[in-house]
Amino acid sequence: GCALDDLRLGRQQRMLVVGAEEVNAETILPFAAMRALSTNPDPRTASRPFDQARDGFVAAGGAVCLILEERDCALARHAPVYAELVGWGQAADGFNVAVSHPEGAGLAEAIRRALADAGVSPRDIDYVNAHATSTPAGDRSEALALRRAFTETGAHPRISSTKGLTGHPLSMAGVMEAAFCALALRDGFTPGNVNLAAPDEACAGLDLPRNTLDAAPTLVLNNSSGFGGSNVCHVLRAHPASS
């Protein structure tokens, strides 16, 4: 989001946004004391965002780099454009240092601000890449925020959390999932919810496809939530050259 602002203000023509996370005892074990980690011994099913049987997140690591640049700059060098970043929003609820607002107040506001910045309405969004990490409290909070931002306005975008496949990479999550959204826009597919068998009752009214769909989205929203009630959302649009 900050990179997009610098491009809009003419401060930069091209910026690299990098997210990285190393999985080790120091980064992961503190979450065991918080009872935030899944105790499911099966790595194939342990991460199950939005499911009634979820019991915590599964740690992940790696690195992702996004290249953001002005349109004319990208086209001049014949760059393969994956998608356009058209808006973003952030909001903090400050409810708790480690727990999301129980009603998803901050995330709902971040969604509203992102849509307003992009100049689009909730009904324009085809797909939402949810932050949902597979924790009982966090997923419920996000589901309520999504219902407030979309369902209550009559909008029903498809929604999934790709963390069912990847686990939760903590500091890398926002960049990684923005990259997934760009891939979905470029390649014309909608990610499904792996390991979702019985959705939490808080998800009532949300469109949560179980499997990846051969359906090309045009506008997507990427949600990210951090500790202390920090929420950031990005709106990405398919680029004509990629469709």
Side-chain angles (χ1 to χ4, degrees), residues 107-159:
L107 181 56
E109 178 61 16
I111 293 172
R112 186 193 68 78
R113 293 180 182 182
L115 298 181
D117 185 48
V120 300
S121 74
R123 292 173 182 260
D124 293 325
I125 299 296
D126 302 306
Y127 167 66
V128 177
N129 186 294
H131 178 74
T133 63
S134 189
T135 61
D139 288 14
R140 180 184 184 279
S141 173
E142 183 166 15
L144 295 177
L146 290 166
R147 286 169 55 180
R148 180 184 302 181
F150 292 100
T151 310
E152 292 179 7
T153 68
H156 297 279
R158 294 184 171 111
I159 300 167

Side-chain angles (χ1 to χ4, degrees), residues 68-106:
L68 272 64
E69 59 187 323
E70 294 178 342
R71 181 199 303 268
D72 291 345
C73 184
L75 297 180
R77 68 183 185 90
H78 305 290
V81 180
Y82 285 62
E84 295 180 73
L85 179 59
V86 294
W88 77 292
Q90 62 178 335
D93 52 60
F95 174 74
N96 185 281
V97 69
V99 181
S100 303
H101 189 284
E103 303 299 319

Side-chain angles (χ1 to χ4, degrees), residues 81-83 179-190 212-217 238-239 241-243:
V81 180
Y82 285 62
F180 291 163
C181 289
L183 287 170
L185 289 166
R186 186 195 67 171
D187 296 340
F189 68 92
T190 301
T212 294
L213 305 175
D214 186 18
H239 187 264
S242 64
S243 60

